[in-house]
Amino acid sequence: MNPFDAPRQTELAAAAQVCDRCGSRVAGLCQPLDSAALDEISSEAQQMTMPAHAAVFREGDPAGRIFTLVDGFAKLTRLLPDGKQQVVGFRFAGDVIGYTTLPTYPFDAELLTESRLCRLDRGQLDALLRRYPTLERRMLDLCVQELTATQEQLVTVGRRSAEARVAAFLLSLVEASRRRNRPCSVLEMPMTRSDIADFLGLTLETVSRSLTAFRKRGWIREPVHHRVELVNFAALSALAEGTDD
Amino acid sequence: MNPFDAPRQTELAAAAQVCDRCGSRVAGLCQPLDSAALDEISSEAQQMTMPAHAAVFREGDPAGRIFTLVDGFAKLTRLLPDGKQQVVGFRFAGDVIGYTTLPTYPFDAELLTESRLCRLDRGQLDALLRRYPTLERRMLDLCVQELTATQEQLVTVGRRSAEARVAAFLLSLVEASRRRNRPCSVLEMPMTRSDIADFLGLTLETVSRSLTAFRKRGWIREPVHHRVELVNFAALSALAEGTDD
DNA sequence: CGATTACTTGAGCGAGGTCAACGACGGTGG
DNA sequence: CCACCGTCGTTGACCTCGCTCAAGTAATCG
């Protein structure tokens, strides 16, 4: 059932193999490496499990480690001086967290669920980068993808109505699920209304009202807590694109 | 007067030297190269001048070239299906435009003023990257900085009031000017109210009203069109941070 | 099973959007 | 040199979307 059960391998190697298997464009740091390289990384990397709501790192911490989220969900947040927070992104199984060339992390990384992580120290990473130059190119690819996603989010927050933002968010969950190659009729949505609001530049009440509206229109279902099913994908897309009116 | 007058060098080399001179953290692609490498790039790169409002490239164009903005101002924009546009960033002299590992550019790049650009084909760039590995690291640095700036912009658009956004924008102009090592009492602001609004997720009327309010409070002056002087920096900072009330 | 946190729903209000009119500026052609 | 026009900026009046405040319900966890 769980694809991460191979007992002989570290989680990072397992994650990379999962990536290979699903042929994903995006997931995983080590996708381009051969098994010899994976073995080497396996011997270097620390695997660990952390509980829900744990902080992987905080904004301002020295950026000495890089993580792969093997299993679970995380949010990346920035804090305003007045205490309000902005979620700059969510992370899913297979995603890399905390890579930066800056001296300190520019945001908090906090887990939404109990998660399995694979940890690599900066020194180890730099050594690997030297040994496997394709990895450096991979880092750049990941950074460009992240940048493009953040720009898209900027468009959503800056120019779309409240319901359009929530619709766009739901669609991005589908995309993330597709990336992980999971059957996507019912999506996991472990983030709270407040998390979603802080991601979309809305209040939690507005997010709640939007989701209720979608439910009443029969566009979505929420069979259990923290699960959504998108029933009318087309309607949500039209709303997100502004192609409805 | 103009620091770009050295007649024997290509613009790119000149730009790099300017970067060296000002010791900037951010500006310029070729900062880490020695003069031999600069000479080599000089022989490769195409210099060009383009008029105001020209498109350097459009969203969806094959991403076959990379540009350095030697002199002038540009905006990077994304278009929504319904025609609304979001400015995802402004670019200033010394900045690199259009580097991506994606097959096509993910946004439009449009000049705000007549500008001098330095153009490098993807093939040439890749060859340079192979010859000067430090350049690859530099590209990653630039990407990380851009990502961090975009996340900051996301916080501004998602969580700040209209006036706080405009204040934050003005402060970012100071920062950009500082980066270019220009005396910053009076800033160049070649973007229209509409450009600023599309950057901040506001309407042009709201931007105009905010600037008028700042002027009436004596916080800024606009001696001529497309120039601002920040008179009360502290007040603007407090407003941007939300530390005023 | 009580306490806490998450979610929903309602009522009222205000920041900012919309629509409209007007003035300033800069280029263009007579 | 001036009349004309298009773009840009300002200001006002009005209205709406989403925020705020508040109360109540549902889920979760010791």
Side-chain angles (χ1 to χ4, degrees):
Chain A
M1 201 158 193
N2 186 322
F4 300 100
D5 282 340
R8 205 59 31 85
Q9 299 169 315
T10 68
E11 307 300 53
L12 183 57
Q17 291 203 347
V18 169
C19 298
D20 282 345
R21 187 137 42 94
C22 69
S24 154
R25 282 180 301 123
V26 217
L29 170 65
C30 308
Q31 202 188 7
L33 297 183
D34 59 26
S35 58
L38 286 177
D39 282 348
E40 187 185 338
I41 292 188
S42 306
S43 62
E44 304 260 5
Q46 284 279 331
Q47 55 180 309
M48 51 201 291
T49 299
M50 294 178 79
H53 311 119
V56 181
F57 51 79
R58 295 258 168 227
E59 184 173 343
D61 287 354
R65 289 164 172 171
I66 179 170
F67 300 83
T68 298
L69 187 56
V70 177
D71 198 23
F73 297 84
K75 63 174 176 182
L76 312 181
T77 64
R78 279 170 159 262
L79 217 58
L80 275 166
D82 61 2
K84 283 179 283 191
Q85 81 169 1
Q86 174 75 35
V87 172
V88 297
F90 293 108
R91 290 295 178 270
F92 306 88
D95 290 345
V96 174
I97 299 179
Y99 184 74
T100 179
T101 57
L102 301 174
T104 60
Y105 297 114
F107 43 71
D108 285 11
E110 206 168 290
L111 299 177
L112 299 174
T113 60
E114 186 184 51
S115 302
R116 291 201 273 171
L117 293 157
C118 186
R119 194 185 84 194
L120 211 56
D121 286 339
R122 247 330 258 278
Q124 296 173 333
L125 176 65
D126 287 339
L128 286 170
L129 286 175
R130 246 171 282 124
R131 190 179 308 244
Y132 304 102
T134 50
L135 266 188
E136 188 147 62
R137 169 57 195 248
R138 178 98 186 115
M139 306 271 10
L140 186 52
D141 281 354
L142 288 174
C143 190
V144 166
Q145 278 169 15
E146 215 171 312
L147 178 59
T148 306
T150 306
Q151 288 174 348
E152 234 144 52
Q153 185 59 13
L154 199 55
V155 177
T156 296
V157 171
R159 284 279 163 255
R160 293 201 233 254
S161 70
E163 284 198 356
R165 293 185 213 185
V166 177
F169 166 72
L170 291 174
L171 296 173
S172 78
L173 282 185
V174 176
E175 178 56 24
S177 170
R178 208 193 50 69
R179 242 171 48 204
R180 285 172 287 145
N181 211 28
R182 304 281 170 81
C184 67
S185 69
V186 178
L187 302 164
E188 294 192 65
M189 188 171 67
M191 45 294 274
T192 66
R193 306 299 194 229
S194 179
D195 290 332
I196 301 170
D198 287 341
F199 183 53
L200 298 174
L202 298 171
T203 60
L204 66 93
E205 292 94 333
T206 300
V207 171
S208 179
R209 276 186 251 271
S210 298
L211 289 173
T212 302
F214 294 167
R215 227 182 298 118
K216 286 188 174 158
R217 288 172 215 160
W219 293 2
I220 64 170
R221 244 170 294 178
E222 294 187 277
V224 291
H225 211 48
H226 291 206
R227 294 270 149 100
V228 240
E229 183 181 357
L230 306 198
V231 180
N232 193 337
F233 191 90
L236 289 169
S237 297
L239 180 54
E241 302 301 321
T243 327
D244 53 326
D245 43 38
Chain B
M1 201 155 192
N2 187 321
F4 299 100
D5 283 339
R8 205 61 30 86
Q9 299 168 316
T10 68
E11 305 301 54
L12 184 56
Q17 292 204 345
V18 168
C19 299
D20 282 345
R21 186 137 43 93
C22 70
S24 156
R25 283 180 303 121
V26 218
L29 171 64
C30 308
Q31 203 187 6
L33 297 183
D34 59 26
S35 58
L38 285 177
D39 283 348
E40 186 184 338
I41 293 188
S42 306
S43 62
E44 304 262 3
Q46 282 279 332
Q47 54 181 310
M48 52 200 291
T49 300
M50 293 180 78
H53 311 118
V56 181
F57 52 78
R58 295 259 168 225
E59 185 171 343
D61 287 353
R65 289 165 173 172
I66 178 170
F67 300 84
T68 297
L69 188 55
V70 178
D71 199 22
F73 296 84
K75 63 173 176 182
L76 312 180
T77 64
R78 277 170 160 262
L79 218 56
L80 275 166
D82 60 4
K84 283 180 283 190
Q85 82 170 0
Q86 174 76 34
V87 172
V88 296
F90 293 107
R91 290 295 177 268
F92 307 87
D95 290 345
V96 174
I97 299 179
Y99 184 74
T100 180
T101 57
L102 301 174
T104 59
Y105 296 114
F107 43 70
D108 285 12
E110 205 168 290
L111 299 178
L112 298 174
T113 60
E114 185 184 52
S115 303
R116 291 202 274 169
L117 293 157
C118 187
R119 194 185 84 193
L120 210 55
D121 285 339
R122 247 331 259 278
Q124 297 174 333
L125 177 66
D126 287 339
L128 285 171
L129 287 175
R130 246 171 280 123
R131 189 179 309 244
Y132 304 102
T134 50
L135 265 189
E136 188 147 62
R137 169 58 194 246
R138 178 98 185 115
M139 305 272 11
L140 187 53
D141 282 353
L142 287 175
C143 189
V144 166
Q145 279 169 15
E146 214 171 312
L147 178 59
T148 306
T150 306
Q151 288 174 349
E152 235 144 52
Q153 186 58 15
L154 198 54
V155 177
T156 297
V157 171
R159 283 281 163 256
R160 292 203 233 253
S161 70
E163 284 198 357
R165 292 184 214 186
V166 177
F169 166 72
L170 291 174
L171 295 173
S172 78
L173 282 184
V174 176
E175 178 57 25
S177 170
R178 208 193 50 69
R179 244 170 47 205
R180 285 171 286 146
N181 210 28
R182 304 280 171 83
C184 67
S185 69
V186 177
L187 303 163
E188 294 191 66
M189 189 171 68
M191 45 293 277
T192 67
R193 304 302 193 227
S194 180
D195 291 333
I196 301 170
D198 287 341
F199 184 53
L200 298 174
L202 298 170
T203 60
L204 67 93
E205 292 94 333
T206 300
V207 171
S208 179
R209 277 187 249 271
S210 298
L211 288 173
T212 302
F214 294 167
R215 227 182 297 119
K216 285 188 175 160
R217 289 172 214 159
W219 294 2
I220 64 169
R221 245 169 293 177
E222 293 187 277
V224 291
H225 211 49
H226 291 194
R227 294 269 147 102
V228 239
E229 183 182 357
L230 306 198
V231 180
N232 193 338
F233 191 90
L236 290 168
S237 297
L239 180 53
E241 301 302 320
T243 327
D244 53 324
D245 43 39

